[in-house]
Short mmCIF file of all heavy atoms in Angstrom, two decimals:
data_model
loop_
_atom_site.label_atom_id
_atom_site.label_comp_id
_atom_site.label_asym_id
_atom_site.label_seq_id
_atom_site.Cartn_x
_atom_site.Cartn_y
_atom_site.Cartn_z
N SER A 22 -119.97 -128.65 -72.38
CA SER A 22 -120.37 -128.81 -71.01
C SER A 22 -119.52 -129.87 -70.32
O SER A 22 -118.99 -130.75 -70.94
CB SER A 22 -121.84 -129.23 -70.90
OG SER A 22 -122.06 -130.45 -71.52
N THR A 23 -119.43 -129.78 -69.03
CA THR A 23 -118.72 -130.78 -68.26
C THR A 23 -119.57 -132.03 -68.06
O THR A 23 -120.79 -131.92 -67.79
CB THR A 23 -118.40 -130.16 -66.82
OG1 THR A 23 -117.69 -128.97 -66.99
CG2 THR A 23 -117.67 -131.18 -66.01
N PRO A 24 -119.00 -133.20 -68.28
CA PRO A 24 -119.78 -134.45 -68.11
C PRO A 24 -120.32 -134.56 -66.70
O PRO A 24 -119.70 -134.12 -65.72
CB PRO A 24 -118.82 -135.53 -68.42
CG PRO A 24 -117.67 -134.89 -69.17
CD PRO A 24 -117.65 -133.48 -68.73
N LEU A 25 -121.49 -135.13 -66.55
CA LEU A 25 -122.12 -135.28 -65.28
C LEU A 25 -121.37 -136.34 -64.47
O LEU A 25 -121.05 -137.44 -64.96
CB LEU A 25 -123.52 -135.78 -65.51
CG LEU A 25 -124.44 -136.06 -64.30
CD1 LEU A 25 -124.67 -134.77 -63.51
CD2 LEU A 25 -125.73 -136.73 -64.70
N LEU A 26 -121.08 -135.99 -63.17
CA LEU A 26 -120.47 -136.91 -62.29
C LEU A 26 -121.54 -137.85 -61.67
O LEU A 26 -122.56 -137.32 -61.21
CB LEU A 26 -119.76 -136.21 -61.14
CG LEU A 26 -119.13 -137.13 -60.08
CD1 LEU A 26 -118.03 -137.96 -60.64
CD2 LEU A 26 -118.64 -136.28 -58.88
N ARG A 27 -121.34 -139.09 -61.83
CA ARG A 27 -122.30 -140.10 -61.30
C ARG A 27 -121.68 -140.75 -60.09
O ARG A 27 -120.65 -141.35 -60.16
CB ARG A 27 -122.70 -141.16 -62.36
CG ARG A 27 -123.17 -140.44 -63.67
CD ARG A 27 -123.69 -141.37 -64.61
NE ARG A 27 -125.08 -141.55 -64.22
CZ ARG A 27 -125.92 -142.40 -64.80
NH1 ARG A 27 -125.48 -143.15 -65.75
NH2 ARG A 27 -127.12 -142.51 -64.43
N ILE A 28 -122.39 -140.66 -58.97
CA ILE A 28 -121.89 -141.24 -57.73
C ILE A 28 -122.57 -142.55 -57.55
O ILE A 28 -123.80 -142.68 -57.66
CB ILE A 28 -122.14 -140.26 -56.52
CG1 ILE A 28 -121.39 -138.91 -56.81
CG2 ILE A 28 -121.64 -140.93 -55.22
CD1 ILE A 28 -121.62 -137.87 -55.75
N VAL A 29 -121.78 -143.56 -57.18
CA VAL A 29 -122.29 -144.92 -57.05
C VAL A 29 -122.00 -145.48 -55.70
O VAL A 29 -120.87 -145.51 -55.22
CB VAL A 29 -121.58 -145.81 -58.13
CG1 VAL A 29 -122.19 -147.23 -58.07
CG2 VAL A 29 -121.68 -145.23 -59.50
N VAL A 30 -123.09 -145.86 -54.97
CA VAL A 30 -122.95 -146.59 -53.71
C VAL A 30 -122.70 -148.01 -53.98
O VAL A 30 -123.43 -148.69 -54.64
CB VAL A 30 -124.26 -146.40 -52.86
CG1 VAL A 30 -124.09 -147.03 -51.47
CG2 VAL A 30 -124.67 -144.98 -52.75
N THR A 31 -121.58 -148.49 -53.48
CA THR A 31 -121.07 -149.84 -53.91
C THR A 31 -121.28 -150.87 -52.80
O THR A 31 -120.89 -150.70 -51.63
CB THR A 31 -119.60 -149.75 -54.24
OG1 THR A 31 -119.42 -148.61 -55.18
CG2 THR A 31 -119.09 -151.00 -54.92
N ASP A 32 -121.88 -152.01 -53.28
CA ASP A 32 -122.15 -153.12 -52.33
C ASP A 32 -120.96 -154.03 -52.26
O ASP A 32 -120.01 -154.00 -53.07
CB ASP A 32 -123.37 -153.91 -52.89
CG ASP A 32 -123.93 -154.84 -51.89
OD1 ASP A 32 -123.53 -154.81 -50.68
OD2 ASP A 32 -124.85 -155.62 -52.29
N ALA A 33 -120.89 -154.87 -51.25
CA ALA A 33 -119.77 -155.75 -50.98
C ALA A 33 -119.46 -156.70 -52.13
O ALA A 33 -118.26 -156.96 -52.44
CB ALA A 33 -119.98 -156.53 -49.71
N ASN A 34 -120.48 -157.22 -52.77
CA ASN A 34 -120.23 -158.28 -53.81
C ASN A 34 -119.44 -157.71 -54.97
O ASN A 34 -118.57 -158.35 -55.51
CB ASN A 34 -121.52 -158.94 -54.25
CG ASN A 34 -122.66 -157.98 -54.58
OD1 ASN A 34 -122.44 -156.85 -55.04
ND2 ASN A 34 -123.89 -158.32 -54.35
N VAL A 35 -119.68 -156.46 -55.35
CA VAL A 35 -118.95 -155.82 -56.44
C VAL A 35 -117.48 -155.59 -56.00
O VAL A 35 -116.56 -155.87 -56.74
CB VAL A 35 -119.64 -154.57 -56.95
CG1 VAL A 35 -118.70 -153.75 -57.90
CG2 VAL A 35 -121.02 -154.82 -57.57
N LEU A 36 -117.31 -155.04 -54.79
CA LEU A 36 -115.99 -154.78 -54.23
C LEU A 36 -115.18 -156.10 -54.23
O LEU A 36 -114.03 -156.15 -54.63
CB LEU A 36 -116.09 -154.15 -52.88
CG LEU A 36 -116.72 -152.81 -52.78
CD1 LEU A 36 -116.95 -152.42 -51.34
CD2 LEU A 36 -115.88 -151.73 -53.48
N ILE A 37 -115.81 -157.16 -53.68
CA ILE A 37 -115.10 -158.45 -53.53
C ILE A 37 -114.75 -159.00 -54.93
O ILE A 37 -113.62 -159.53 -55.07
CB ILE A 37 -115.92 -159.36 -52.68
CG1 ILE A 37 -115.98 -158.90 -51.21
CG2 ILE A 37 -115.40 -160.81 -52.75
CD1 ILE A 37 -116.94 -159.61 -50.30
N ASN A 38 -115.68 -158.94 -55.84
CA ASN A 38 -115.35 -159.44 -57.20
C ASN A 38 -114.17 -158.68 -57.78
O ASN A 38 -113.26 -159.31 -58.32
CB ASN A 38 -116.57 -159.22 -58.16
CG ASN A 38 -117.62 -160.32 -57.95
OD1 ASN A 38 -117.31 -161.40 -57.37
ND2 ASN A 38 -118.82 -160.03 -58.38
N LEU A 39 -114.14 -157.37 -57.62
CA LEU A 39 -113.01 -156.61 -58.18
C LEU A 39 -111.70 -156.96 -57.42
O LEU A 39 -110.63 -157.04 -58.04
CB LEU A 39 -113.33 -155.13 -58.10
CG LEU A 39 -114.43 -154.66 -59.01
CD1 LEU A 39 -114.78 -153.21 -58.74
CD2 LEU A 39 -114.05 -154.84 -60.52
N MET A 40 -111.78 -157.22 -56.12
CA MET A 40 -110.59 -157.58 -55.36
C MET A 40 -110.11 -158.96 -55.78
O MET A 40 -108.89 -159.24 -55.81
CB MET A 40 -110.93 -157.52 -53.87
CG MET A 40 -110.91 -156.07 -53.33
SD MET A 40 -111.00 -156.07 -51.51
CE MET A 40 -112.66 -155.57 -51.25
N HIS A 41 -111.04 -159.89 -56.11
CA HIS A 41 -110.59 -161.19 -56.54
C HIS A 41 -109.71 -161.23 -57.80
O HIS A 41 -108.91 -162.06 -57.96
CB HIS A 41 -111.86 -162.13 -56.86
CG HIS A 41 -112.53 -162.68 -55.68
ND1 HIS A 41 -111.91 -163.17 -54.58
CD2 HIS A 41 -113.82 -162.81 -55.40
CE1 HIS A 41 -112.74 -163.61 -53.70
NE2 HIS A 41 -113.97 -163.38 -54.20
N VAL A 42 -109.90 -160.19 -58.59
CA VAL A 42 -109.06 -160.08 -59.83
C VAL A 42 -108.15 -158.88 -59.75
O VAL A 42 -107.64 -158.43 -60.83
CB VAL A 42 -110.03 -160.07 -61.08
CG1 VAL A 42 -110.69 -161.37 -61.28
CG2 VAL A 42 -111.01 -158.93 -60.98
N SER A 43 -107.91 -158.38 -58.54
CA SER A 43 -106.95 -157.23 -58.36
C SER A 43 -107.33 -156.04 -59.26
O SER A 43 -106.50 -155.37 -59.82
CB SER A 43 -105.53 -157.66 -58.61
OG SER A 43 -105.17 -158.73 -57.71
N ARG A 44 -108.64 -155.75 -59.27
CA ARG A 44 -109.08 -154.61 -60.17
C ARG A 44 -109.86 -153.55 -59.40
O ARG A 44 -110.52 -152.73 -59.97
CB ARG A 44 -110.05 -155.13 -61.25
CG ARG A 44 -109.36 -156.16 -62.22
CD ARG A 44 -108.56 -155.43 -63.24
NE ARG A 44 -108.12 -156.43 -64.23
CZ ARG A 44 -107.08 -156.26 -65.03
NH1 ARG A 44 -106.35 -155.22 -64.92
NH2 ARG A 44 -106.75 -157.22 -65.90
#
Side-chain angles (χ1 to χ4, degrees):
S22 64
T23 303
L25 179 67
L26 175 65
R27 306 189 85 183
I28 301 176
V29 184
V30 184
T31 310
D32 196 7
N34 48 33
V35 172
L36 296 170
I37 291 169
N38 281 340
L39 292 172
M40 285 190 253
H41 281 319
V42 292
S43 301
R44 299 281 189 202

